[in-house]
Amino acid sequence: MRGVPRQELYTREYFRDVGRAWERFLSACPIDGSGVRNVVLESWARCRRQGVDPHRRAAPVTVDGDALARFYDQNGRLYDAIKTCMAPAVDQLAGTGMVLITSDARGTLLTADGDPPLADQMVANRIMPGACWGEGHGGTNAVGTALTLGRPVQILAQEHFCEAGKPWSCNAGLIRDPVDGRILGVVDVTGPNNMMVLHAGPLVATLVNRIQSHILMQETAERCRLIEMFHEEAGRGEAVILCDARGRVVKATSDVGAILDRLGCAIRLQPAAAIPGLSADVIDSPTLRGLPEWIRADWLTPLRVDGRCIGVLLRLPLPARAPIPPAATIAPAFRPIAEASPSLAPLLRQAEIFAAQKVPILLEGETGTGKDMLARAIHAASPMAAGPFVALNCAALPKEILASELFGHAEGAFTGARRGGAKGKLEHAHGGTLFLDEIGDMPLELQPYLLRVLEEKTVCRLGENTPRRIDVRVVAATHKPLAQQIAEGRFRADLRYRLDVASLTLPPLRDRMADIPHLMRVLLGQIEAGAGRDLRLDDAVMHVLLRHRWPGNVRELRNVLERMALLAPHGVLQWQHLPPALLDGNGADAADEAPMTLKSAEQQMVLAALQHERGNVSHAARMLGISRATLYRRLSTYGRSGRQLAGAEEPDHHVQLMRSVDA
């Protein structure tokens, strides 16, 4: 047994030798030294072990009638891509004496389009949709053998195991899923002209690439829609895994890893990892047959577009949560943030875990939520802490200057280039952290170069071809939803997936109103240090600050306090020092209101926590860092509305609770 030189594959002598070897093989005679290619002999042996009839003159039709329509639906994405991408090639087949075939991952044909004079022969040998040409059905052939071996294959005339294939020569390539690399199907060029088919490899490769690119665009758009739906459907405080229609993990909240361990599930939440049994087919089945035993049906929320299931939310049961831990238990680098915002303690603990690794981190959140401060804390808590922390705002510079600032440049690379060249921020950050703020505004033209740097750990300066090795941890931040940016063609999906190895989302201040007193204490302390005098907040102001929505988040709160400090000659920040925008939103008669006492401020915090947790007393107590019994005692002192709130407990009653809060 041996390989055969390419120029000999379509000669009469080779086909004569193969025909004789096939007859000897069927007679169980030795065929050593026959000159037949190894790939063919090994396939013949597999066919014999599977009991394939070598005298079969037509492939079996395994899908027909009404089942054919269901077969197309089951392969909907692949079939759509094939019909879109193959049409130009099919039109060019007239007069070539060739057939263009596609199949699914089992070798069942999806399409078979050929030169009209070949139609009768195609029907006779069952080269038609619904016929199965997997090795176990159609014997040695390019479609089935490529699927078996997992690589492109050419099978010529007499090399086929069954008589049905011997009039044809085939050249097949594999279509792979662009996300996880699994085989989706086959593109095959078939015809009676051995030489033309043998040289059809470039055509097959081109069609495969077109189909895979089309599927990738569909996948990207669908994943973006899934992430949007994730943010719409998933509530705060939930442990949720977002999966696509094949059960592959798209996104997960921070605490699911520990919960999966508690449930005894050995699932690694990494890109393209799949949860076995969690697919659209299982979700849409009446009995949920195939669903893993550890998943309860009521944990699942199918996500549908136009009636089609494109993914699923898996809501995991949360363990009983302890009160928010004191800042003293947080790593020193994150302690200042924890002291100012106790509700962020769980997120900071996750950030501490991420910081210990060198993986890229993506920080998401509205403007002013403190992404830059968190980035510096991650650097300080990381193995790169001894190195530099270098920041670059991707929205602050034109793309030409941004490219030079990021990658550096060689001498003479452009007009005005520095003599001797210059390092870019990536090189300056060697051994440390590069913080790319507003990554969503990075010009699309620069994104492939940043992706290459992240993957290869090398950088080339502008005007140079010499790669320079760098050791840099990249922390990126954005206030723009990257899923929307991708859908609009403004951001590369592959760069987003590379940056989003570990992501943290900073919630807006309006979703954590209980942090405001802590933030004000810390911010006033910082302002006092700069002003050189003591500052105090009048109790009447607290009511206004707790009712404001804070669209500018923590940055807006600091600016408000700094403004008030400038206008307060005696160091007491009062209602008249508030910006007009805050007073307009809370009524012009704020001065007539009774000064807010500590008890009334506490009541505002409690009500804000209950509103945030949709009336769930247990969750509100955890958010406030007190026990449920303590919260009930507080509620009982708030009059009729407080007694109504204390009379309900779980989310089933949240409508009644919210009515009480509104009252």
Side-chain angles (χ1 to χ4, degrees):
M1 294 187 293
R2 62 183 179 86
V4 178
R6 187 179 181 86
Q7 64 272 19
E8 297 181 12
L9 285 178
Y10 46 82
T11 63
R12 290 183 178 179
E13 291 78 9
Y14 176 68
F15 290 137
R16 183 190 60 222
D17 292 344
V18 173
R20 291 172 178 172
W22 180 70
E23 292 174 354
R24 292 178 62 82
F25 182 85
L26 298 185
S27 302
C29 297
I31 55 173
D32 292 343
S34 64
V36 181
R37 292 187 295 155
N38 284 350
V39 66
V40 174
L41 289 172
E42 291 166 359
S43 177
W44 287 357
R46 288 192 298 271
C47 294
R48 182 162 59 186
R49 288 195 298 270
Q50 295 179 76
V52 179
D53 180 4
H55 301 294
R56 176 176 287 164
R57 293 184 177 276
V61 175
T62 57
V63 181
D64 60 1
D66 294 338
L68 196 59
R70 292 194 298 272
F71 174 60
Y72 288 140
D73 288 340
Q74 292 166 358
N75 292 275
R77 176 165 297 166
L78 174 62
Y79 185 63
D80 289 344
I82 287 170
K83 297 295 285 185
T84 301
C85 300
M86 299 280 274
V90 170
D91 293 340
Q92 297 173 9
L93 287 179
T96 63
M98 290 197 294
V99 180
L100 200 52
I101 294 170
T102 61
S103 82
D104 70 353
R106 295 184 296 273
T108 304
L109 300 195
L110 284 159
T111 62
D113 301 288
D115 198 7
L118 300 175
D120 292 342
Q121 184 66 40
M122 291 169 61
V123 172
N125 297 134
R126 299 294 187 269
I127 301 177
M128 56 192 294
C132 186
W133 283 86
E135 265 195 352
H137 293 84
T140 304
N141 69 92
V143 171
T145 305
L147 289 170
T148 299
L149 299 179
R151 61 178 175 83
V153 167
Q154 301 85 38
I155 300 296
L156 306 176
Q158 293 295 325
E159 292 180 331
H160 288 81
F161 184 73
C162 296
E163 291 183 3
K166 291 187 180 296
W168 308 93
S169 291
C170 318
N171 194 324
L174 297 175
I175 306 168
R176 292 187 178 273
D177 189 296
V179 176
D180 56 25
R182 69 189 182 93
I183 296 173
L184 299 178
V186 171
V187 172
D188 174 77
V189 171
T190 292
N193 189 317
N194 305 312
M195 187 179 299
M196 287 186 66
V197 170
L198 186 64
H199 290 86
L203 172 61
V204 171
T206 298
L207 293 173
V208 165
N209 288 334
R210 286 181 182 174
I211 293 170
Q212 291 179 164
S213 297
H214 190 276
I215 293 173
L216 177 59
M217 287 191 294
Q218 289 180 311
E219 287 275 0
T220 300
E222 199 162 274
R223 288 171 78 87
C224 291
R225 182 70 184 107
L226 280 172
I227 292 173
E228 290 175 2
M229 297 174 77
F230 173 85
H231 291 300
E232 293 169 2
E233 295 283 344
R236 285 188 49 75
E238 291 185 304
V240 184
I241 302 175
L242 170 66
C243 297
D244 65 12
R246 298 191 183 99
R248 297 176 303 199
V249 176
V250 177
K251 196 172 181 64
T253 52
S254 59
D255 45 1
V256 298
I259 297 175
L260 288 174
D261 290 341
R262 182 169 56 84
L263 293 171
C265 305
I267 298 173
R268 298 184 62 189
L269 298 177
Q270 58 188 11
I275 298 180
L278 193 62
S279 66
D281 293 339
V282 173
I283 300 302
D284 285 335
S285 65
T287 60
L288 294 178
R289 179 175 296 178
L291 192 69
E293 293 183 358
W294 61 273
I295 297 179
R296 286 174 39 183
D298 59 338
W299 296 353
L300 302 174
T301 303
L303 302 177
R304 302 184 187 278
V305 173
D306 298 329
R308 181 172 62 89
C309 181
I310 66 168
V312 62
L313 284 179
L314 172 59
R315 289 181 165 90
L316 301 177
L318 286 169
R321 291 186 290 178
I324 296 174
T329 64
I330 303 292
F334 299 101
R335 201 166 294 162
I337 303 177
E339 290 173 348
S341 300
S343 71
L344 296 182
L347 180 142
L348 296 176
R349 291 189 179 282
Q350 186 180 3
E352 185 178 347
I353 295 172
F354 291 161
Q357 310 299 322
K358 289 187 178 182
V359 296
I361 295 178
L362 178 64
L363 306 181
E364 298 179 287
E366 295 179 4
T367 297
T369 49
K371 299 185 291 294
D372 52 348
M373 188 175 182
L374 180 57
R376 292 181 182 276
I378 289 171
H379 170 70
S382 74
M384 322 289 282
F389 179 87
V390 179
L392 179 63
N393 190 314
C394 299
L397 299 170
K399 65 180 179 181
E400 295 80 7
I401 299 177
L402 179 61
S404 175
E405 284 290 306
L406 183 58
F407 303 109
H409 65 267
E411 181 176 351
F414 51 85
T415 302
R418 188 177 303 174
R419 186 173 182 180
K423 292 181 178 180
K425 298 294 188 183
L426 282 160
E427 287 186 73
H428 280 297
H430 178 68
T433 300
L434 175 64
F435 176 50
L436 294 176
D437 200 7
E438 305 298 354
I439 189 69
D441 290 308
M442 172 171 280
L444 195 61
E445 299 91 330
L446 300 185
Q447 294 175 24
Y449 299 100
L450 176 59
L451 179 63
R452 179 174 294 181
V453 170
L454 294 174
E455 291 178 343
E456 299 180 1
K457 307 296 184 184
T458 61
V459 62
C460 291
R461 297 180 184 177
L462 300 182
E464 282 188 354
N465 293 321
T466 304
R468 301 168 186 267
R469 183 155 294 279
I470 55 172
D471 182 18
V472 175
R473 138 73 71 69
V474 173
V475 178
T478 178
H479 74 280
K480 295 182 176 180
L482 290 188
Q484 181 179 343
Q485 293 288 96
I486 293 171
E488 295 174 355
R490 301 176 186 273
F491 202 83
R492 292 176 61 100
D494 48 3
L495 177 57
R496 187 264 173 88
Y497 297 142
R498 191 66 184 84
L499 290 170
D500 197 3
V501 176
S503 62
L504 297 166
T505 300
L506 283 163
L509 187 54
R510 61 183 171 275
D511 287 347
R512 46 188 179 97
M513 299 296 281
D515 286 343
I516 286 182
H518 305 280
L519 279 166
M520 287 192 296
R521 183 183 68 250
V522 172
L523 294 174
L524 280 177
Q526 296 172 357
I527 296 170
E528 282 179 342
R533 61 193 178 104
D534 293 337
L535 298 172
R536 181 171 62 85
L537 191 71
D538 189 88
D539 288 343
V541 176
M542 178 70 76
H543 176 66
V544 180
L545 298 182
L546 284 171
R547 292 183 62 182
H548 186 55
R549 296 292 293 168
W550 300 109
N553 295 295
V554 179
R555 182 179 295 136
E556 182 187 5
L557 176 59
R558 182 184 180 90
N559 291 344
V560 166
L561 294 176
E562 287 182 335
R563 179 187 191 277
M564 295 178 70
L566 292 173
L567 298 176
H570 304 296
V572 180
L573 280 59
Q574 298 177 308
W575 72 269
Q576 62 265 32
H577 302 137
L578 287 163
L582 269 71
L583 288 173
D584 291 345
N586 293 280
D589 57 348
D592 297 331
E593 294 182 1
M596 178 169 279
T597 63
L598 288 176
K599 182 176 180 179
S600 58
E602 172 195 286
Q603 181 175 349
Q604 291 290 338
M605 290 176 60
V606 168
L607 295 180
L610 284 166
Q611 285 179 317
H612 177 264
E613 297 296 344
R614 300 182 179 181
N616 189 304
V617 177
S618 299
H619 290 179
R622 296 188 191 108
M623 180 178 178
L624 293 166
I626 60 178
S627 69
R628 187 174 61 179
T630 300
L631 180 53
Y632 275 123
R633 284 196 297 272
R634 296 285 193 273
L635 290 171
S636 67
T637 66
Y638 299 161
R640 179 174 174 272
S641 63
R643 287 191 297 273
Q644 287 178 335
L645 289 168
E649 163 58 27
E650 293 303 324
D652 292 341
H653 311 290
H654 77 272
V655 174
Q656 175 188 346
L657 291 172
M658 291 305 295
R659 287 174 179 165
S660 301
V661 170
D662 291 339

